[in-house]
Amino acid sequence: MSAFAVIAGVGPGTGSAVARRFARAYPVALLARNPDNFTSLVDEINASGGQAVGISTDVSSEASVKSAFAQIKEKFGSERCAAAVFNASGPFQRKSLLELTADDMSKSWDVSCKGAFLFSQSAIPLLLAQGSSTSSAGAEQHPPTLIFTGATASVKSNAHMSSFSTAKYAMRALSQSIAREFAPQGVHVAHAVIDGVIDIPRTKDWLKDQPAEAKISADGIAEAYWGLHVQPRQAFTNEIDIRPMLEKW
Amino acid sequence: MSAFAVIAGVGPGTGSAVARRFARAYPVALLARNPDNFTSLVDEINASGGQAVGISTDVSSEASVKSAFAQIKEKFGSERCAAAVFNASGPFQRKSLLELTADDMSKSWDVSCKGAFLFSQSAIPLLLAQGSSTSSAGAEQHPPTLIFTGATASVKSNAHMSSFSTAKYAMRALSQSIAREFAPQGVHVAHAVIDGVIDIPRTKDWLKDQPAEAKISADGIAEAYWGLHVQPRQAFTNEIDIRPMLEKW
Amino acid sequence: MSAFAVIAGVGPGTGSAVARRFARAYPVALLARNPDNFTSLVDEINASGGQAVGISTDVSSEASVKSAFAQIKEKFGSERCAAAVFNASGPFQRKSLLELTADDMSKSWDVSCKGAFLFSQSAIPLLLAQGSSTSSAGAEQHPPTLIFTGATASVKSNAHMSSFSTAKYAMRALSQSIAREFAPQGVHVAHAVIDGVIDIPRTKDWLKDQPAEAKISADGIAEAYWGLHVQPRQAFTNEIDIRPMLEKW
Amino acid sequence: MSAFAVIAGVGPGTGSAVARRFARAYPVALLARNPDNFTSLVDEINASGGQAVGISTDVSSEASVKSAFAQIKEKFGSERCAAAVFNASGPFQRKSLLELTADDMSKSWDVSCKGAFLFSQSAIPLLLAQGSSTSSAGAEQHPPTLIFTGATASVKSNAHMSSFSTAKYAMRALSQSIAREFAPQGVHVAHAVIDGVIDIPRTKDWLKDQPAEAKISADGIAEAYWGLHVQPRQAFTNEIDIRPMLEKW
């Protein structure tokens, strides 16, 4: 039985790198709200011998997530889900508590926590289906994996970061709860604390006076996620940090 | 200039104990959605020589919180706000990820995170007003204090606890961000990890076969909050855990 | 039955402040290697209506600690031990890993970890003696308390801080293990993370361009320790941080 | 220029698995106090096309560690050190605080903290030599890596675990300090929290009533260490946890 992977939050940085990495092994379903974020990537993967499908999805909308997974099931029905990666994130914003609005708080939570919840709730049954079949599967079949992309703000909350960090802390709580509930059924759940600036087009002017090693490579993150995916049942990692060599501690 | 305190989330447990403790020093404004939760307590405090006013408030509603603080300002206009305690909490609920609804997730967040945000946003300006005046005040005046009631689920997220723990993690992030932003202006922000079952009427059948020391005393929590409030500017604590002697570690 | 307290690591800063605070309630035994560190303090306490005895003790020496506690038992034989505070610390030192010697590492560990161990091992039986008698005691009797003075370096280990931080991390592990073992028998164990520069004669030139609120008050620490001591059995705190209002986060 | 790896603490479990994994890429120097722990492994690696040398070393002895690294330099003089793994550990022991001896405490610290320090101090210069040359090296050359094997007791200290956990906490502090000091010079330092029982001959009777997934695979740990080693400079992980699928949380 063949398998597929789902990546939510595909943009020009981590999401695309993760999509490319997992597409080397599996057909991939790529979710993003704006099709501009996946169209050329889908073409690129399909053109280079992989298989990709893009599905426009608002992860904060229950109907949209359900629709996306319905399309996934239709597309990959008889295959197993090998991996699901939640890489979506609400807007990064720095505002004083006194300037934040309830809407700012909600928008961040809607994506990073509610979105992660909706995605997990749809992904877990597909991952479990694989989990239960793994015992009899060949050794080359990796445990089904659910990975969440966190940030420094998932574990440390600075001034002017309330909207972003509350939602990221919440997502980390979600990942821990899911890990504890579904590990016994064979699902490997992991949370990555991305600790620094990712080296993508949008950040090319940040840390300009520093060597490349001051930023995190998106491909490096993708490779770390793949490394989590291929861990065997007797050696699961639930949380990793990923940082550049020249991180300012 | 005299002072007052505000306590949100006044119920039969921690909230009432905190209200009674702070009412020994200050007039108190007690907020709860359901007036049944504060009516007799308001009477009790007023009858025993203190001053209390109850304000029916839904902390998850911006309009309701603004209205509550408008009433507080009207009532205590020329006084300073000595302390604000956020003790409200969304429903405690144990459900599998697969049974939780988006509504379950939202309801928990609405109170514990959005509510804490709305409360803080209204309380901070009142606390800052005192903060700036503290320098010239007498030594007996304690730094203005904002305290959040957290739980084990604020730092550890178990299976079947997603709705509760995501919101509690988020509230902890909020408290840390506010502490970092407003400590330089003299506001003492603290988060309490209440680590165990509180000894209140509702829990009297829990841990029945155990000695009293297996539960946390609400008065003990209240005293710890008071202890935080009276810390001087040169010795602030930002987080404490509170647990019973016979905690099962 | 009356009671006494023991404070190890009495110097010009935290130790003296803690000694003075506990001496307001109990006769105190003050331990320091160099009698210069306690002689005038002993005189001061005895002259102002308290009772103090100084015992020259090397906490890193088993024989010295045993001798000190033998003197304590002789002096306070029929009284109970209300509190024991371990405030000793190895030398603070910043050195590259490549410049540190094995001796640097050992000296730090000898005081902060081995010393804390030896002190605890001698103090616990005295505290337990009180613990078991507390049940029938009057309500005014506080649970026997064992407090350790930690530092930022107990939870965060920076470059050039190996010798200090390894020993401080170790002491924190010790305090947690002791808390879990002896809480069920009524001993309240707490660890304080002192997070900043303490305002003592030796540091008067540090942070000179900053207001007083950039440093921690030793009296503030002492008051926090007293606050831990008076916590009831149904509301123990195991760890607090103590920092100045103007901490640079 | 070719490269080699050093593994300290080679026994029948993790150490051997790590040695075998790194021996697939590099000649390896295997350190253990008792030659019985490496003799057959050295033979096995050499017989199967790899290169291994065993060096009897007491990591808690400065002279012994210096002698070992002198032999390593003699053997691999013109090669670069690609990786150094510290896997040695003091005795695991459960004892009440009241039964522990100062000698128990020291023995644990001597290996896990002093030993890790001595090993690091000798290894870092060799790793740095590679670090500085990496820039001009081919892409296939992995950043020089220093890995420490920790345990649950590195982050959580239970009753009766003082001797083991104090030393493990200390080692974690050491690894963090070294990471902060030498990452800017290109050395990748990582600490692994091995969270459970490792599946080795000595533990074959533990958790007997449980499936294999209740124990950690030593090969899984080794593969995770290799995964850390091959991380690029723009995606370093400083800490991972490794646990079995059926961990009892």
Side-chain angles (χ1 to χ4, degrees), chain D residues 6 8 31 55-73 86 88 110-111 114-123 126:
Chain D
V6 186
L31 280 50
I55 303 171
S56 178
T57 313
D58 174 358
V59 293
S60 69
S61 155
E62 188 162 3
S64 180
V65 173
K66 289 201 165 166
S67 162
F69 274 87
Q71 292 174 62
I72 288 169
K73 274 181 261 191
F86 186 80
D110 277 349
V111 176
K114 184 186 173 193
F117 162 73
L118 293 171
F119 178 81
S120 302
Q121 202 172 44
S122 285
L126 303 186

Side-chain angles (χ1 to χ4, degrees), chain B:
Chain B
M1 188 172 69
S2 56
F4 65 94
V6 186
I7 293 105
V10 174
T14 308
S16 294
V18 171
R20 283 189 192 94
R21 182 62 187 86
F22 281 73
R24 286 162 48 188
Y26 305 116
V28 291
L30 308 184
L31 280 49
R33 194 161 49 178
N34 185 343
D36 290 351
N37 277 327
F38 58 66
T39 303
S40 63
L41 180 63
V42 165
D43 291 346
E44 174 197 318
I45 291 172
N46 286 326
S48 60
Q51 283 186 56
V53 57
I55 303 172
S56 177
T57 312
D58 174 359
V59 294
S60 70
S61 156
E62 187 162 5
S64 182
V65 173
K66 289 202 166 167
S67 162
F69 274 86
Q71 292 174 62
I72 288 169
K73 274 182 260 191
E74 198 174 342
K75 173 91 183 163
F76 299 108
S78 62
E79 302 178 37
R80 58 191 176 78
C81 182
V85 178
F86 187 79
N87 186 59
S89 187
F92 182 83
Q93 142 184 91
R94 292 185 189 273
K95 271 193 188 179
S96 166
L97 176 83
L98 302 179
E99 288 161 13
L100 275 171
T101 64
D103 196 50
D104 289 330
M105 296 294 286
S106 295
K107 272 185 180 148
S108 186
W109 183 82
D110 277 349
V111 175
S112 294
C113 183
K114 184 186 172 194
F117 161 73
L118 294 171
F119 179 81
S120 302
Q121 201 171 44
S122 285
I124 282 284
L126 303 186
L127 295 163
L128 283 173
Q130 178 188 354
S132 55
S133 73
T134 304
S135 314
S136 55
E140 79 291 345
Q141 190 170 307
H142 308 300
T145 310
L146 175 60
I147 300 176
F148 298 89
T149 300
T152 312
S154 304
V155 291
K156 190 174 170 185
S157 177
N158 286 324
H160 296 192
M161 295 277 286
S162 294
S163 60
F164 191 68
S165 64
T166 50
K168 285 291 191 186
Y169 269 58
M171 189 180 78
R172 185 166 176 254
L174 179 72
S175 83
Q176 292 174 348
S177 180
I178 298 175
R180 281 154 176 73
E181 182 171 0
F182 295 103
Q185 298 173 59
V187 181
H188 180 190
V189 181
H191 177 261
V193 178
I194 309 299
D195 219 343
V197 175
I198 303 174
D199 193 1
I200 53 174
R202 185 169 57 81
T203 63
K204 77 170 193 289
D205 289 339
W206 302 18
L207 305 173
K208 273 178 92 163
D209 55 336
Q210 304 261 335
E213 285 88 351
K215 288 184 189 166
I216 302 172
S217 142
D219 287 340
I221 296 172
E223 200 57 48
Y225 284 17
W226 182 258
L228 291 168
H229 175 52
V230 301
Q231 286 187 320
R233 286 171 161 223
Q234 287 189 263
F236 279 173
T237 292
N238 287 137
E239 188 160 85
I240 54 168
D241 57 294
I242 301 177
R243 65 189 70 246
M245 183 186 110
L246 295 180
E247 191 204 3
K248 199 173 142 267
W249 293 86

Side-chain angles (χ1 to χ4, degrees), chain C residues 58-78:
Chain C
D58 174 358
V59 293
S60 69
S61 154
E62 188 163 5
S64 180
V65 173
K66 288 201 167 169
S67 162
F69 274 85
Q71 292 174 61
I72 288 169
K73 274 181 262 192
E74 195 174 346
K75 173 92 182 160
F76 299 109
S78 62

Side-chain angles (χ1 to χ4, degrees), chain A residues 96 100 121 158 169 176 181, chain B residues 96 100 121 169 176 181:
Chain A
S96 165
L100 276 171
Q121 201 172 44
N158 285 324
Y169 269 57
Q176 292 175 349
E181 182 172 0
Chain B
S96 166
L100 275 171
Q121 201 171 44
Y169 269 58
Q176 292 174 348
E181 182 171 0

